[in-house]
Amino acid sequence: MPSQLVKEYFRTENLPHIWCPGCGNGIVTRAIVKAIDNLGLNKDEICVVSGIGCSSRASGYLDFNTVHTTHGRALAFATGIKLAKPNLNVIVITGDGDASAIGGNHLIHAARRNIDITTIVFNNNTYGMTGGQYSPTTPTGDKGTTAPFGNIDTNFDLCELAKAAGATYVSRSTIFTTNMLIKQVENGIKNKGFSFIEALTTCPTYYGRKNRKGEAVDMMVYLKENAINIAAYDKLSEEQREGKFVVGEIYKSNRPEYTEEYQRIIDSFSKGV
Amino acid sequence: MPSQLVKEYFRTENLPHIWCPGCGNGIVTRAIVKAIDNLGLNKDEICVVSGIGCSSRASGYLDFNTVHTTHGRALAFATGIKLAKPNLNVIVITGDGDASAIGGNHLIHAARRNIDITTIVFNNNTYGMTGGQYSPTTPTGDKGTTAPFGNIDTNFDLCELAKAAGATYVSRSTIFTTNMLIKQVENGIKNKGFSFIEALTTCPTYYGRKNRKGEAVDMMVYLKENAINIAAYDKLSEEQREGKFVVGEIYKSNRPEYTEEYQRIIDSFSKGV
Amino acid sequence: MSTKTQASLIVEKNWCKGCGICVAFCPKNVLEIKDGKVNIKDLESCIECGQCELRCPDFAIYLGGK
Amino acid sequence: MSTKTQASLIVEKNWCKGCGICVAFCPKNVLEIKDGKVNIKDLESCIECGQCELRCPDFAIYLGGK
Amino acid sequence: MLHQELRLTGSGGQGLILAGIILAEAALYDGLNVVQSQSYGPEARGGASKAEVIISSREINFPKVNKCDLMLALTQAACDKYYESIKPNGILIMDKSIPNIPARDDITIYVVPIIETAMNSLGYPMVSNVIALGTIYEITKIVSKASLEKAVCNRIPRGTEELNIRALEEGYNLIRNHKEECYGHGCRFN
Amino acid sequence: MLHQELRLTGSGGQGLILAGIILAEAALYDGLNVVQSQSYGPEARGGASKAEVIISSREINFPKVNKCDLMLALTQAACDKYYESIKPNGILIMDKSIPNIPARDDITIYVVPIIETAMNSLGYPMVSNVIALGTIYEITKIVSKASLEKAVCNRIPRGTEELNIRALEEGYNLIRNHKEECYGHGCRFN
Amino acid sequence: MIERNVKLMQGNEACVEAAITAGMKFYAGYPITPSTEIAEISAERLPKVGGKFIQMEDEIASISAVIGASIAGAKSMTATSGPGFSLKQEGIGYAVITETPCVIVNVQRGGPSTGMPTAPGQGDIMQARWGTHGDHSIIALYPWSVKEIYYTTIKAFNLAEKYRTPVILLLDEVIGHMRESIELPNEGEVEIYNRKKPTCLTEEYKPYKVKEGDIVPEMAGFGEGYRFHVTGLVHGETGFPTNNGKIAEELIRRLIGKIEDNKDDIVETDEYLLDDADIAIVAFGSTARAAKSAVDTLREEGIKAGLFRPITIWPLADKPLVELAKKVSRIVVVEMNLGQYYLEVDRVAGKYTKVDRFGRVNGDLITPQEIVDFVKEV
Amino acid sequence: MIERNVKLMQGNEACVEAAITAGMKFYAGYPITPSTEIAEISAERLPKVGGKFIQMEDEIASISAVIGASIAGAKSMTATSGPGFSLKQEGIGYAVITETPCVIVNVQRGGPSTGMPTAPGQGDIMQARWGTHGDHSIIALYPWSVKEIYYTTIKAFNLAEKYRTPVILLLDEVIGHMRESIELPNEGEVEIYNRKKPTCLTEEYKPYKVKEGDIVPEMAGFGEGYRFHVTGLVHGETGFPTNNGKIAEELIRRLIGKIEDNKDDIVETDEYLLDDADIAIVAFGSTARAAKSAVDTLREEGIKAGLFRPITIWPLADKPLVELAKKVSRIVVVEMNLGQYYLEVDRVAGKYTKVDRFGRVNGDLITPQEIVDFVKEV
Ligand SMILES: Cc1ncc(C[n+]2csc(CCOP(=O)(O)OP(=O)(O)O)c2C)c(N)n1
Ligand SMILES: Cc1ncc(C[n+]2csc(CCOP(=O)(O)OP(=O)(O)O)c2C)c(N)n1
Ligand code: SF4
Ligand code: SF4
Ligand code: SF4
Ligand code: SF4
Ligand code: SF4
Ligand code: SF4
Ligand SMILES: [Mg+2]
Ligand SMILES: [Mg+2]
C-alpha cells in the first residue's frame, strides 16, 4: 500500500517505475509532488510536460494532465499548452540532455519570453536512457560511452545559461538536499514567469559505473559533501570552491509574464466590444 | 573599378550585391574583409560559413572557401569544417534570427565547446530576408509584421548569452563604429577559441520603416548616439543607461580549445606508433 | 520511550529495489538490506524523521502517521 | 592646399545605390546625392579620412591612394 | 467578351503591387472575374517589381500573365525587362523619366510624366501608383470610374482619400488633356 | 547436422549477454555458423535480460530464437517468462537460488548452484556467467573446450584470465561431479 | 456594379480567414517564404477573436507548440514551406501517434533544400505522405483557387478534428500569393466540426479507447477534469506506454485504418469534361489551372481531353482513378516536379491504361501550351 | 578448430569497421537506440586512425557537421534512427543539392514517433526516398547480415563519393544488434573510391561544372587552393545562386539523372531459388532472412517459391522487378510495415503479375512460419 502522498498524486497502477535501483529520478519526482501538495494546488489545473529520457518518463506516473513529448521539445509543447490554457500550472520535467542538448534552444527562448512555466531539470550528467553517453553537463575529463578517452567538452553551467537567457527564478538543489528542492519547486511554481530549477541527481547504472563513482549511496554522499549553499559559496576563495558547486536560489527578478502580456493585447480589442 | 581591398577579397563578378540601398550588411562585410586584410591571412586558409538571411548572403560575395548553409545551422556546419581541417580560419557570418532564433542551440554549444570559430552576428533586430518579422533581438514594444501590436517578447542580450554559454571572446560594435568593429574581428580571429562579435546593423527597408526609424542615415545616427563604450557604461547610473547599449570588448577568457584538445587524443595514439 | 507500531513506518516491499539509500541515510540505523530488500531491523530507534521517505527513489518506505 | 585629382577619391557609380550614408557622415561635406547616386561636389575639401569608404555599404566609394 | 491581361512594372517601393490590387478590386466591384499576382521575394529587393492583373468576363484558369495587353513601366530596368511581353497592338504606358523608349512599332506607347506629377503637382511621390491607375483608366476604361475610386479608397491609409482621388484625377487628366500632345503612338520616337 | 538454439536469461548486470557472445565466439572458432542476439533497451533496465545464440553447421537464416534447445535461467522472473519456449526434450539449466521449478516433464532440468559457487567458491559474484558457460559446455559439448576457453579469455578484462578459467572449471565440475545427485531430470520435483 | 459580400483576397489570407471561421484559436509558426503572410495575418487576426499567435524560435518549436495547444483544447495551425516542412516531420509523426488534431500548411516553393524560395513548386507531394518516419497514414488536401483555399482550409480543420489526425494543407506559391474574388459565407453557413469530448465519469475515461461506433477516441482537453497521459511511445487505451506487440499492432493498424478505410468520406476530387474524354489530364493546385486551360485548347483542336483533379491528395483517390483509367485511353499526370503523384497514379491506373507524366522544375508555373504540346506530341 | 581472420561482430560494429576501411575520417552524431553503438564505436576507433568523432547537440547539428566536414574534404558519416532521421531531412536535402558525399545510417526501429525504441521496424523505406522536401533522387542500401553490412557500408561510401550524393544506409534493430561471423578483408582487398579532385588551374575551377565524360563535377576540398562557393539555393556552374529557370531545370534534372540513369551501376539485388520459381517473395534486411527460411519450408512442401532481395532499395530495381514479374505468377512483398516498398513493386510489377503484401508492425521480426502461412493462405 503506497503512502497517502503517492496515492493522491501518482498513477499507482503504473508503479513500480522503470528506473534502476538507486536512480535519483524517483527522489526528484517525489519532491515535485510534495511541493505541489504543499501548495495545495488543484490536480486538474496542473499540467506536467516532459521530453524523452529516463527522467522524462516521470510524467506517465503522475496523476495530472501529462504529456510525454518528443526529445528536447517539452518546453515548446508546454508553451503551446500554457498559451492555450493560461490557467494551468505548467511544469516541465526534463533531463540534462533533453533540456540542454537537443532542447537547448527551447530552453533559452522560453526563458527569454518569461512564460510562466516551471522547469525542473533532472541533471544526472549523462544520457541515461541511451546508455551513458556524455552530455552537455558531463564534467570535462569524465567518461561516457562516447567519450572513452575522457570528455573534452566543457560542461554548461545551466543556471548561468538560464539566467542569461532571461529566466526570472533560477535555483539549484540535489537529491540529497531534498527539502531544499521541495522548497525551490514551490517557489518556482509561485513565480509568475519562467522558473528554472536544476536538480542534481544520479545515474548509478551508467554515469556512476563508467566513472567509478560507486553505488547510489556513494553518489549521494558526493552530492552531500560538495554542495555549498549560495551564501556560503560567495564567501569562499577560488581555491576553496574547487570541486564544489552552489546550491540555493541563485537568481530572482521580475519582468512581465508572456501570457499576461498577450492577454493585454486581447483585452485591448474586447474592451471596445 | 572597385578598390584594391574589394578586388582582392570579393568575387566582384557577383557584385553589386542584392542588399537594399542603405542596408548595413555591406558595411559589416567590408569590415570583416578589412580585418582579414589587416591580419594578413592567407585567403586559401579562410573559410566563411553563413546561414540563411539577407546577411548570410555575404558568403557568396567573398573570395574565400565559402558555404551558404541552411537556416540557423552555420555553426554546426562550421564545427564539422573546423574539425576536418583545423588549420582553416573559420568565420561564421549570421543574422540575429539565424544565430539566435533557429540557430540558438548551435550558438550556445559552439560557445560551450570553445571551438576556434569567429562568429559575427549581423544584428538588425529583425528577419530581413522574409520581410520584417520580429526576431529574438527586436526590442520589446517594437513592431514587426508578425508583431502588429508591438512585440511582447523580451529581446536577448546576445553577448550575455554567448558569455554564459562559454564563449572566450565576446564583443559588440556597430556599423557606425566601423573601426572598432574591424579591430574586434581581428581580435576575435586571433583568439584561439570561440569568439562572438555582435555587429549592430540596420534594415532600413523593414525594421526601419515599420518602426518609423527614418532612413538608413537616421538609423546610423541612432547607433552613433546610443552606443556607449564599456568603460564609460560601467560608470553610468541605471537612469543614464536607459536606452543606451554597450559596445566594446565585453568578455575575454582562456580555456582549452576544442580541436586542440581533440588533437591531443589523436596524438596519444600516434605517439606509440 | 513508547513502543512503535508497524504502522508508523511502512514498507512497500514490492516496490523496494534494495538500493540502500534509506539505510545509509537513516540517522538512527533503523534499517538494513535483507534478501535484496529493505528491512526494518530496529523500529524502536526510529525517530520518524522521514529522511527515508524523503529519499527513497521508489516510494517504498514511508511514515504512516500522516 | 594642393589640388586633388579624381584618383584620390573614386566612385563606382554602377554600384552606388544612393543611400546617402557617405554624404551624411563626410566630415567635410564633400559629397552629395545627384540623380539618385553619389556625386563628388567638392573634391577640394576632401581630407581623405576614408570615412566614406569605411561606411559605404556598396563598396562604391573609396580612396584611390592606397 | 472582355479579357485583358495587365502588367505593372517598376521598382520595389513604388506601390505597384498595391496598384494591381486596387485595379483588381475595382474589376471585382464591376462584377468581373479577376486574378492578381506579383513577383515576390528577395530578387524584388531594390530591383524590379511586377504586379499582374487579369480581368475577364469569363472564368480565369491560368493565373499568370505571359503576353500582356497593357503594360505600365515606371523604371528603365523594368521597361527593358518586360516590354517584349506586350502583345502586338498592345499598350505601353511609360513614365517620362525613362530615357530609352523601346523599339516596337506594333504597340501604342504613352509616355506620361507620372512620377513628376506626383512630386510636383501633388507633392507626394508615393501617389505615383494611383496616378498611374488614373492613366490606365482613362486609356482603357477597363473598370468603371466609380469602382476604381471605391477600390482606391478601400485600400489606401485612412485620411488620404482626398489626396488619392486627386491623384486619380491627375492621371485621367494626363491622358485626357494631352491626347494630342506627346502621348500616344508618335511619342515612341522622342 | 548440428543446429542448436540457446537462450540465456536472468536479470540485467548478470553478464548474460557477454556469456552469449563468448559462446558464439567459441562456436565460431570451431568453424560453425553462429548468430548471437539479445533483448535490449530500457525494458531490460533492472528487469529481465536475455541473450540468444544459434549455433549451426549450416547457414543460419532466421536470426531469432523462438523455441530453444537449451535455456539457462538465473532468476525466477526470467525462468517464468521463458521456460515455455524450451522445445520438448530440451534442456533447462536453472540456478539453485530459484525457488519455483517449472512444471514441465518433457524437458531435462538441471538445478545448479551457479551463483552460490561464484560467491562462495570463487568469491566473485560476477563470474556466474562464466560458470554457467562451463555447465552448458559440460552438458552439451556444443563447442570444443579449447575454443570456449579461448573465447572466454578473449572477451574478459585482461588480468582476470585465471579467475575465469577457474570459473569455467567450476562449471564443468558442477555438472561432472554431481551428475548422479540432484541435477538432472529427477530434480524437477524437488 | 454589383454589390455582393465579395472580397478580393490573397490565397494565404483566405487560408487564415477560413481557419478562424473553422475555429482556430492558436497559431504558432516561424516565417518562411512563401507562407509568411499566413503567420502575419494570423498575428493580426487571432487576438481579435480571443485566439493566440506566437512566433516560435523555429519550425520544430512551432509544430510542438501547435500540438501542445491542441492537446490543451485549442484548434491549432501552423504554416511553412519546404525547409520548414522537413523540420516539422518528427512533430507530425507525434501528432499522428497521439491522434492530436492540427493543420499544417505547406506553401510549396522550388526545391530541394533552399532551392528557389520565391518560385512555386510541387515537390513535396510524396513528402507530405512519407516525410515522417515509421508506418502511418496522413490526410493531405490541395486546393486550386482562393475560394477553394477557403473551403479546403475549413475542411482540413474538420477532418483533423473528426479523425484526430494532423492534416496537411498543400498550397503553392502561385495560389498562396495570388488574389482572387471570394464570397465569404455568413456565420452558420459552413459546417464546423468540433472534436468529440468525453461525457463519462472522469475515473472511467480512457483517452485511447474507441467507443463502439466511433472512429476515434473521445478527446478531453487539459484542465477539464479528465486527467490523462499523452505519449509518442506505442500505448494502450489508457495512454500509458507498452511493449506489448499485440497492442502495438492494433494501434498502428487502427491509426492507418481510420484514414484508409474512410476514403469515401475524406477523398474529394473534381472533374472537367471527363464524360466523353479520351485523354485525362491529372493535375492539382495551380498546375490544374493550366491544365484546365489546356483541356479547353485541346478540345478546340478536336482532341477529347478532360481534367481529373484530386483535391484530396492523400489518402489516394484510388477508386476514382481506377474508374478513370478504365474509361480513357491515356492519362497524363502533370506536376511541377519530375513525377511524384504520377507514381501512385501509375500504380493504380497503369494496370488499365497508359500513364504518362509531364513535369517541370524551373520555378515557373507550367503553361497551358506546354501541356497541350506534350499531350499532342507523345 | 579452424584459424581464419574471422571475427564475431555486431552489425553496428561492422558498419563502423567498414566505414573506417572505406576512409571515414569524420563522424558526428547524437545517440539514439538502436543506432548508438555506431557512435560509441566510432568515438573509440576514429582518433586511433587520425579521424574525428564529435557528439553534437542534436541530429540536425550532426548532419550539418557531417556535410561541413565532407565539404572540407573528409569522408563523413552519421547514424541515427527514426526520430533522428526525420530531423536530418532538411540537411539531407542540402547534401543532395550541394552534391556533398556523406553516409547517413538509419537503424530502423518501431514507429511512428517515439514508437517502440528497442524493437525493429522497416517503416522508413519510403521516408528514405521522400523524406526531404523538393524533387530529388536518393541512393539507399539495405544489407541483411553482418558480413553484408560490412561490404554495403563500403559501397555506401563509394557511391557517395562517386555520385557526390548522400547515401542512406538502412539497417534495422535486428541486424544492427546481432552478432555474426565476418571475415575481414586485408588492406587492398576492397575497392575504395575517392572523390575526383580538380587538377585545373585554380582560376579555372568551376565547382559545379561536369566535365565531358564525367558523371559529377570534380570536388575540391577547402584549404586546397580552390576557393569555391557552396549554397543550398539553386546555382549555376560557378556555385553562385541564380533565379534562371533554365539553369534550375538543368540542375535538378542532372541531380536526379545522375542517380536514375546509372541504375546499372548502382542497383544490386540478390536472388534465391528464383530460376524455376512460381511465387517470388520480395524482402530485404532482417525480414529477408525470415523469407529465405520460408522459401526453404515452402520448397519442402512442394511450393516453388523463391526470394528476390533488393540490396539497393533506391533507386528502384525496376528492371529486375519487371523481369521477375514476367516470370512468376505471384509476388509477395514482405515488410515490417503495412506496405511501403510494396507500392513500387506493385507499380512496376503489377502490370505483369499479381502482387500481394504481407506486413506486421508489432515490433517483432516476422517469422518464416508467418510468411509460409500467408503464402499458402492467400
Ligand atoms: C530525436 C531523438 N533523438 C535522440 C533520441 C534518443 N534519446 C532518448 S533519451 C536521450 C537522452 C536522454 O538524456 P537526458 O535528457 O539527460 O535524460 P536521462 O535519460 O539522463 O534522464 C536520447 C539521446 C530520441 N528519442 N529522439
Ligand atoms: C528552415 C528555414 N526556416 C525559415 C526560413 C526562412 N528564412 C530565411 S532567412 C530568415 C530569417 C532571417 O533573419 P536574420 O537571420 O536575422 O537575417 P537577416 O535577413 O535579417 O539578415 C528566415 C526566417 C528558411 N530559409 N529556412
Ligand atoms: S539508466 Fe541511469 S538515469 Fe536511467 S533509470 Fe537507470 S540509473 Fe536512472
Ligand atoms: S531587407 Fe533589410 S536586411 Fe535585407 S537587404 Fe534590405 S535592408 Fe538589408
Ligand atoms: S524515519 Fe528517520 S529514523 Fe525512522 S527509519 Fe526513516 S530515516 Fe530512520
Ligand atoms: S531507499 Fe527505497 S528502494 Fe532503496 S532500499 Fe530503501 S526502501 Fe528500498
Ligand atoms: S574621404 Fe573623408 S572627407 Fe573625403 S569624401 Fe570621404 S568622408 Fe569625405
Ligand atoms: S554610401 Fe555608397 S551607396 Fe550610399 S550613396 Fe554613398 S557611395 Fe552611394
Ligand atoms: Mg541525463
Ligand atoms: Mg536579422
Side-chain angles (χ1 to χ4, degrees), chain A residues 25 52-56 70-71 73 94-99 102 122 124 126-130 133 135, chain F residues 45, chain G residues 90, chain H residues 30-33 59 80 83-84 87 109 114:
Chain A
N25 288 344
I52 298 285
C54 290
S55 39
S56 289
T70 52
H71 188 35
R73 319 300 173 189
T94 170
D96 47 321
D98 196 64
I102 193 168
F122 291 48
N124 58 6
T126 193
Y127 301 153
M129 180 61 105
T130 44
Q133 296 75 34
S135 90
Chain F
R45 193 155 295 163
Chain G
E90 192 201 8
Chain H
Y30 188 75
I32 184 167
T33 307
E59 287 87 353
T80 189
L87 290 171
R109 62 191 219 181
T114 316

Side-chain angles (χ1 to χ4, degrees), chain B residues 18-25 54-55 124 126 128-129 202-206, chain E residues 45:
Chain B
I18 59 156
W19 295 316
C20 303
C23 171
N25 289 342
C54 290
S55 39
N124 58 6
T126 194
M129 181 62 105
T202 53
C203 171
T205 302
Y206 293 117
Chain E
R45 193 154 293 164

Side-chain angles (χ1 to χ4, degrees), chain B residues 1-4 6 10 12 15-24 26-27 29-30 34 175-179 182 216-217 220-221 224, chain D residues 10-25 49-64 66:
Chain B
M1 208 196 56
S3 72
Q4 267 316 107
V6 171
F10 282 77
T12 46
L15 293 173
H17 52 59
I18 59 156
W19 295 316
C20 303
C23 171
I27 306 178
T29 306
R30 187 187 171 283
K34 184 70 187 150
I175 52 168
F176 184 81
T177 50
T178 328
N179 278 323
I182 294 169
V217 168
M220 282 182 76
V221 168
K224 175 182 169 183
Chain D
I10 302 173
V11 167
E12 171 68 36
K13 278 242 159 120
N14 284 335
W15 289 359
C16 171
K17 292 177 185 155
C19 67
I21 290 174
C22 58
V23 178
F25 298 111
C49 67
Q51 296 284 317
C52 51
E53 177 173 3
L54 208 56
R55 297 215 187 81
C56 169
D58 289 273
F59 328 134
I61 188 166
Y62 59 97
L63 296 178
K66 45 161 197 175

Side-chain angles (χ1 to χ4, degrees), chain A residues 76-242:
Chain A
F77 278 80
T79 298
I81 292 168
K82 181 72 191 176
L83 270 166
K85 290 259 167 88
N87 66 316
L88 293 177
N89 283 294
V90 179
I91 297 168
V92 166
I93 283 179
T94 170
D96 47 321
D98 196 64
S100 78
I102 193 168
N105 206 29
H106 311 304
L107 174 62
I108 59 178
H109 282 274
R112 178 174 67 79
R113 289 188 194 102
N114 195 33
I115 187 162
D116 186 20
I117 294 171
T118 301
T119 297
I120 298 124
V121 179
F122 291 48
N123 183 0
N124 58 6
N125 309 105
T126 193
Y127 301 153
M129 180 61 105
T130 44
Q133 296 75 34
Y134 69 101
S135 90
T137 61
T138 303
T140 311
D142 276 8
K143 288 187 179 172
T145 59
T146 44
F149 316 114
N151 176 23
I152 62 171
D153 284 29
T154 300
N155 46 304
F156 272 139
D157 182 327
L158 290 181
C159 288
E160 281 307 307
L161 186 68
K163 180 181 153 194
T168 47
Y169 178 89
V170 178
S171 73
R172 186 186 286 122
S173 187
T174 77
I175 52 168
F176 184 81
T177 48
T178 328
N179 279 323
M180 182 195 285
L181 178 57
I182 293 169
K183 196 74 215 156
Q184 289 179 3
V185 176
E186 285 177 38
N187 289 344
I189 293 174
K190 281 195 284 188
N191 173 45
K192 255 276 162 223
F194 188 77
S195 304
F196 180 87
I197 296 157
E198 181 179 1
L200 297 180
T201 178
T202 53
C203 171
T205 302
Y206 294 116
Y207 179 72
R209 211 172 282 172
K210 263 269 159 200
N211 290 290
R212 303 176 189 277
K213 301 263 178 189
E215 306 287 310
V217 169
D218 304 311
M219 296 179 79
M220 282 183 74
V221 169
Y222 172 87
L223 290 175
K224 174 182 170 182
E225 288 175 353
N226 295 289
I228 314 276
N229 209 299
I230 180 143
Y233 191 86
D234 282 348
K235 292 182 203 123
L236 297 185
S237 68
E238 267 303 308
E239 238 163 55
Q240 290 171 309
R241 285 181 185 179
E242 187 65 36

